[in-house]
């Protein structure tokens, strides 16, 4: 099983980026999908998630209204649409997926809820 993420880059404040994440080796429909980020010199933090079958989403307060998690189970793909980016969004972003044991619910922001992790993709927001 592998997760591969891409789509990061340099963007000006107020701009948008869409990160993509492909899961291979297992079908995605039963997995919860999450995005995390690690700002330079700081702890990893949860950004947003979507429950298996897309039943529920949740987001960190810092990104609510700006970021959207989406998934296409037919393509085994997950996405993080990031709008109105701010310099404080600068970080390495990671996608993660659960083995399919259900919806982590209120525990969605804990890394241990996820079994597979993609490599990071750098997002830099700067003018």
């Amino acid at each position: 099983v592998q997760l591969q993420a891409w789509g990061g880059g340099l963007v000006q404040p107020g701009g948008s980026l869409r990160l993509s994440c492909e899961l291979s080796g297992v079908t995605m429909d039963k997995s919860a999908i999450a995005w995390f980020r690690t700002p330079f010199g700081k702890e990893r933090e949860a950004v947003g998630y979507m429950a298996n079958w897309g039943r529920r989403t949740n987001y960190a307060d810092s990104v609510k209204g700006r970021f959207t998690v989406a998934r296409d189970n037919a393509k085994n793909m997950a996405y993080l649409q990031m709008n109105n980016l701010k310099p404080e969004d600068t970080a390495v972003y990671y996608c993660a997926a659960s083995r399919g044991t259900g919806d982590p619910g209120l525990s969605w922001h804990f890394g241990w809820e996820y079994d597979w992790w993609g490599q990071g993709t750098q997002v830099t927001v700067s003018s």
Side-chain angles (χ1 to χ4, degrees), residues 73-95:
N73 288 340
K75 296 181 179 179
N76 257 23
M77 293 288 298
Y79 306 95
L80 180 67
Q81 178 67 44
M82 305 184 293
N83 298 327
N84 190 22
L85 282 159
K86 303 176 180 181
E88 52 264 41
D89 295 318
T90 295
V92 178
Y93 283 71
Y94 302 86
C95 60

Side-chain angles (χ1 to χ4, degrees), residues 3-125:
L3 277 174
Q4 185 175 2
W6 67 91
L10 173 64
V11 63
Q12 291 188 342
S16 297
L17 277 176
R18 189 178 80 156
L19 305 183
S20 299
C21 175
E22 182 177 21
L23 178 64
S24 59
V26 67
T27 56
M28 177 181 279
D29 50 6
K30 296 179 181 178
S31 297
I33 300 295
W35 290 89
F36 289 77
R37 68 186 181 187
T38 305
F40 181 75
K42 297 184 178 181
E43 299 281 321
R44 185 181 66 193
E45 58 187 24
V47 174
Y49 105 111
M50 178 176 282
N52 52 345
W53 303 104
R55 294 176 297 171
R56 190 200 322 258
T57 58
N58 210 338
Y59 299 91
D61 288 343
S62 58
V63 307
K64 278 181 181 177
R66 301 188 298 122
F67 289 14
T68 303
V69 177
R71 63 195 293 161
D72 185 337
N73 288 340
K75 296 181 179 179
N76 257 23
M77 293 288 298
Y79 306 95
L80 180 67
Q81 178 67 44
M82 305 184 293
N83 298 327
N84 190 22
L85 282 159
K86 303 176 180 181
E88 52 264 41
D89 295 318
T90 295
V92 178
Y93 283 71
Y94 302 86
C95 60
S98 70
R99 198 180 299 266
T101 56
D103 181 2
L106 295 178
S107 297
W108 71 272
H109 58 289
F110 291 117
W112 66 67
E113 290 287 351
Y114 306 94
D115 301 286
W116 305 305
W117 292 78
Q119 89 290 1
T121 183
Q122 175 72 45
V123 172
T124 302
V125 184

